[in-house]
Amino acid sequence: MLLSLDSSAVTASVALTDGQKIINNEFLNSGLTHSETLMPMVKRVMNGLDYSDLDAIAVNVGPGSFTGIRIGVAAAKGIAFVNNTPCIAVSTLESIAYNFVDTDCIVCAVMDARRMQFYNALFRVRGKKVQRICDDRAISIEDLSRDIAKYDNVIIAGDGAMLCCENLSTDNFKLADENLVYQNALGVAMAAENKKEVSHTQLVPVYLRPSQAERELKLKRGV
């Protein structure tokens, strides 16, 4: 059994799966309250099952909200610590792409990185297969517009999708349907397949750039 977590943006979700079988899952869109909501969601999804029965724990490790990512990773590490359960690190952007399995498209996964920049990666989806086109990156809206102009049938998804669509200078895209736009733990579970397992001590957040507080501190120090 695989327990999958996501708290990387405004939504939070938890899923318990066994191979392709979904045992239980929960999705919540109530803003950045994950420190209060994530562990109760885990308890409800586990529904009395013992954590020792888990084969692994998967979690979105970034990019995304700095606080949200830390909460998700800390939760996974804490659960894994008790029984030394293996962990699987998943890219938030890749988990978004798995919302569109069974669709023939290019998924442009975007998360708002502020100041008209986006955390982004592109994926080609054909049937059940998701192929990464580029690494996770922080990119300006101008550069992203030029990049996706190369492709047909582009779907924009992620917590930055609406803002991105409003500012792209190309027109070869569409906004994901409302029920598919956000990352969720079922996508984490699918993305975790065939990924390397690590120990809870090796599981760490992945940030594509320093936090705003770190950037402001560097400016004050003249670095």
Side-chain angles (χ1 to χ4, degrees):
M1 290 194 300
L2 177 68
L3 179 67
S4 301
L5 314 176
D6 172 71
S7 59
S8 58
V10 294
T11 60
S13 55
V14 179
L16 183 65
T17 55
D18 187 356
Q20 301 297 316
K21 180 183 177 182
I22 301 171
I23 300 172
N24 210 350
N25 73 98
E26 190 168 327
F27 179 91
L28 186 64
N29 187 357
S30 61
L32 296 171
T33 60
H34 308 324
S35 60
E36 302 171 2
T37 58
L38 187 62
M39 288 309 298
M41 290 173 69
V42 169
K43 185 176 180 179
R44 290 192 295 270
V45 166
M46 289 296 292
N47 194 28
L49 293 171
D50 199 298
Y51 291 99
S52 63
D53 292 331
L54 294 174
D55 295 299
I57 300 167
V59 61
N60 273 340
V61 296
S65 157
F66 285 85
T67 301
I69 292 166
R70 286 195 294 269
I71 290 169
V73 170
K77 289 167 74 75
I79 298 167
F81 171 77
V82 178
N83 297 294
N84 201 27
T85 308
C87 296
I88 303 172
V90 173
S91 158
T92 309
L93 298 168
E94 184 176 353
S95 73
I96 292 170
Y98 276 89
N99 288 356
F100 302 93
V101 290
D102 296 325
T103 305
D104 189 354
C105 65
I106 300 294
V107 176
C108 176
V110 288
M111 304 185 74
D112 186 6
R114 310 302 178 193
R115 298 182 180 180
M116 232 10 84
Q117 286 201 333
F118 296 88
Y119 299 127
N120 164 256
L122 301 177
F123 301 87
R124 179 174 285 106
V125 182
R126 287 177 179 160
K128 296 288 186 182
K129 293 185 178 180
V130 175
Q131 178 187 1
R132 179 180 284 275
I133 296 174
C134 66
D135 292 336
D136 292 357
R137 58 192 177 175
I139 189 170
S140 69
I141 190 67
E142 294 83 9
D143 288 342
L144 183 57
S145 294
R146 286 191 289 269
D147 206 3
I148 67 170
K150 309 170 188 174
Y151 303 100
D152 296 319
N153 196 21
V154 177
I155 297 177
I156 313 292
D159 80 321
M162 182 66 74
L163 179 64
C164 181
C165 288
E166 291 172 349
N167 290 278
L168 285 169
S169 59
T170 182
D171 59 2
N172 61 323
F173 66 87
K174 68 176 182 178
L175 176 65
D177 292 342
E178 185 177 357
N179 64 320
L180 298 175
V181 72
Y182 289 114
Q183 58 271 36
N184 67 75
L186 291 175
V188 177
M190 287 187 280
E193 290 185 16
N194 303 316
K195 279 190 167 37
K196 180 182 177 181
E197 295 179 350
V198 299
S199 70
H200 62 87
T201 58
Q202 295 172 304
L203 186 70
V204 294
V206 175
Y207 304 126
L208 294 185
R209 67 181 191 185
S211 68
Q212 182 176 348
E214 291 173 308
R215 295 195 301 272
E216 289 176 353
L217 181 61
K218 286 183 177 181
L219 285 173
K220 288 181 180 178
R221 293 176 174 176
V223 178

